[in-house]
Amino acid sequence: MGTRPLLNRRLDGLGTTIFAEMSALATATGSINLGQGFPDTDGPEEIREAAVRALREGRGNQYPPGPGIPELRQAITEHQQRFYGLAYDPDTEVLVTAGATEAIAAALLALLEPGDEVIALEPFYDSYAACIAMAGATRVPLTLRAPSFRPDIDELRALITPRTRLLLLNTPHNPTGTVLAPDELTAIAELAVAHDLLVVTDEVYEHLVFAGAHHPIAALPGMRERTVSISSAGKTFSFTGWKVGWVTAPAPLVAAVRTAKQYLTYVSAGPFQYAVAEALRLPDAYFEDFRADLRRKRDLLAGGLASAGFRVFNPEGTYFITTDITPLGEKDGVEFCRALPERCGVVAIPNAVFYDDQEAGRPLVRFTFCKKDEVLREAVARLARI
Ligand SMILES: *Cc1c(COP(=O)(O)O)cnc(C)c1O
């Protein structure tokens, strides 16, 4: 095959994700896996039944329409109106995607030119770096630093150059649990307008906010026209395997994202789209109970981690807790996470894998709490031994 590397230069360094290594370690050692963020309990029974019904009745078993089935696009617009007062046209301003992951990929591939700069909150969700690289663009991190993990607006202002094309936001933020506050969003929005930047905002944890509220940046003055908002059914309804996500944005942005999306998957998840349309119309009580349940799980795990000697950064949102292992006499999260399964039978993720700035992430370790109470209690008991 000659001497030329097979993997192209754009993808260099993006070889394997830490999740594969850590999940394999969890299996090999019989550990409790608090690494990867997926619930160990499925979402609402009636929504599962809605998917079964669609499948049995032959709805969605063949290619659904490219933008998504009309019922789901309608339900997405109703959801945006109901929770945020945002109005979108279901025919031209909504796009259904294969999870938020495809929405992110399609948005970045459609909107970026090679050489463009993208400012993203660091630590990054792992697909951001890969998609920015595949688009031939350059990522510019705005680092969220312990202990507050707030964005520094002066630092953001200084990072903007004539080549900056896009701000890539994530609120609530994985893995730090930061929820961008109204004043932060306002300051970010003013910079986006002043520099004519596009904003892509990943809001998959919109219904997991424990302190304050989720505020979509698209609702701020001057932002609707430049913002691609992304969310997904996976986290909100505990069906991460269904991979139903969506984009809401003005028609020209949706048309651009759709152009890339149609050559990635074209369409996906036909029968599940019908079920997610029903899920989005669940009464407020579903969303309130879901949040209360996860808040309780957060407190259970946070308390256990603190008792075990970790420094705990209590998350405002998401289902992750970031900790600092320094009080345990540890320095390096990667080494710590590689040894943890042998030491006490628990798997976690070193936050360093989400950073370009290795020093900022080195002592930080992430645990998920979207697991059954008994699993969390057992994990806490095991962690108490270290
Ligand atoms: C889980 C997650 C996603 C992926 O969502 P899917 O709908 O499963 O593709 C995207 N962004 C963040 C921040 C996530 O945590």
Side-chain angles (χ1 to χ4, degrees):
M1 300 279 300
T3 54
R4 182 177 149 177
L6 291 176
L7 188 68
N8 71 48
R9 261 177 295 147
R10 291 191 306 287
L11 297 185
D12 198 19
L14 297 167
T16 44
T17 80
I18 189 81
F19 297 104
E21 179 188 344
M22 289 299 163
S23 291
L25 252 182
T27 310
T29 57
S31 292
I32 296 175
N33 192 349
L34 302 187
Q36 206 166 7
F38 60 89
D40 58 359
T41 307
D42 284 348
E45 183 60 31
E46 72 257 44
I47 302 306
R48 221 159 46 157
E49 284 308 312
V52 171
R53 230 182 312 119
L55 205 136
R56 286 232 171 86
E57 290 168 3
R59 288 178 291 134
N61 290 332
Q62 309 303 332
Y63 295 133
I69 62 163
E71 291 86 337
L72 178 52
R73 284 185 276 122
Q74 179 67 35
I76 290 165
T77 61
E78 287 169 16
H79 171 277
Q80 295 307 89
Q81 183 70 54
R82 168 181 165 196
F83 287 98
Y84 311 118
L86 285 168
Y88 287 98
D89 174 357
D91 292 328
T92 58
E93 298 185 320
V94 179
L95 176 66
V96 176
T97 56
T101 305
E102 188 196 32
I104 293 159
L108 297 176
L109 289 170
L111 300 174
L112 294 172
E113 290 289 352
D116 282 349
E117 292 176 359
V118 177
I119 300 176
L121 301 178
E122 176 185 55
F124 313 101
Y125 181 66
D126 59 355
S127 83
Y128 300 172
C131 291
I132 293 168
M134 286 191 273
T138 303
R139 63 178 184 269
V140 177
L142 175 62
T143 306
L144 306 179
R145 295 177 196 282
S148 73
F149 298 111
R150 308 309 315 178
D152 181 333
I153 301 300
D154 291 329
E155 200 177 322
L156 172 59
R157 189 175 296 112
L159 291 174
I160 296 171
T161 76
R163 287 159 69 156
T164 309
R165 173 66 169 152
L166 190 147
L167 303 179
L168 178 51
L169 303 178
N170 173 212
T171 182
H173 182 260
N174 172 9
T176 63
T178 294
V179 176
L180 295 179
D183 61 322
E184 292 166 337
L185 288 165
T186 299
I188 293 169
E190 282 170 5
L191 286 172
V193 171
H195 296 273
D196 196 20
L197 306 177
L198 297 171
V199 172
V200 172
T201 175
D202 175 348
E203 305 185 350
V204 299
Y205 296 102
E206 61 186 316
H207 289 290
L208 281 179
V209 175
F210 311 120
H214 172 68
H215 298 284
I217 197 167
L220 295 179
M223 292 309 292
R224 189 187 191 283
E225 67 210 64
R226 63 183 68 252
T227 302
V228 174
S229 302
I230 292 173
S231 195
S232 155
K235 309 294 162 56
T236 297
F237 301 110
S238 300
F239 290 116
T240 59
W242 289 8
K243 297 295 284 189
V244 177
W246 52 86
V247 163
T248 49
L253 281 170
V254 163
V257 178
R258 193 173 56 228
T259 304
K261 180 262 178 327
Q262 67 191 338
Y263 300 113
L264 293 172
T265 57
Y266 178 46
V267 291
S268 60
F272 297 126
Q273 292 193 27
Y274 288 91
V276 172
E278 291 193 27
L280 285 166
R281 292 178 171 133
L282 284 168
D284 289 353
Y286 167 77
F287 298 89
E288 286 157 16
D289 292 351
F290 175 62
R291 181 169 51 240
D293 191 43
L294 269 293
R295 181 193 281 123
R296 203 180 38 70
K297 289 177 187 293
R298 174 196 68 170
D299 294 344
L300 199 172
L301 183 62
L305 288 165
S307 302
F310 292 83
R311 179 174 186 196
V312 174
F313 303 104
N314 212 23
E316 297 171 319
T318 77
Y319 44 50
F320 300 104
I321 294 177
T322 286
T323 63
D324 185 338
I325 57 175
T326 313
L328 296 165
E330 302 276 348
K331 288 197 192 72
D332 189 287
V334 175
E335 274 173 33
F336 179 80
C337 288
R338 288 212 168 103
L340 198 59
E342 280 298 338
R343 284 176 71 184
C344 73
V346 174
V347 162
I349 295 290
N351 289 32
V353 301
F354 305 121
Y355 283 84
D356 287 337
D357 181 348
Q358 288 298 303
E359 277 318 301
R362 215 155 98 85
L364 305 179
V365 168
R366 187 193 83 174
F367 296 84
T368 184
F369 52 87
C370 59
K371 305 292 176 186
K372 293 191 181 87
D373 286 5
E374 62 264 33
V375 173
L376 293 175
R377 272 192 227 101
E378 174 61 22
V380 163
R382 293 183 183 191
L383 286 162
R385 287 188 227 127
I386 60 169

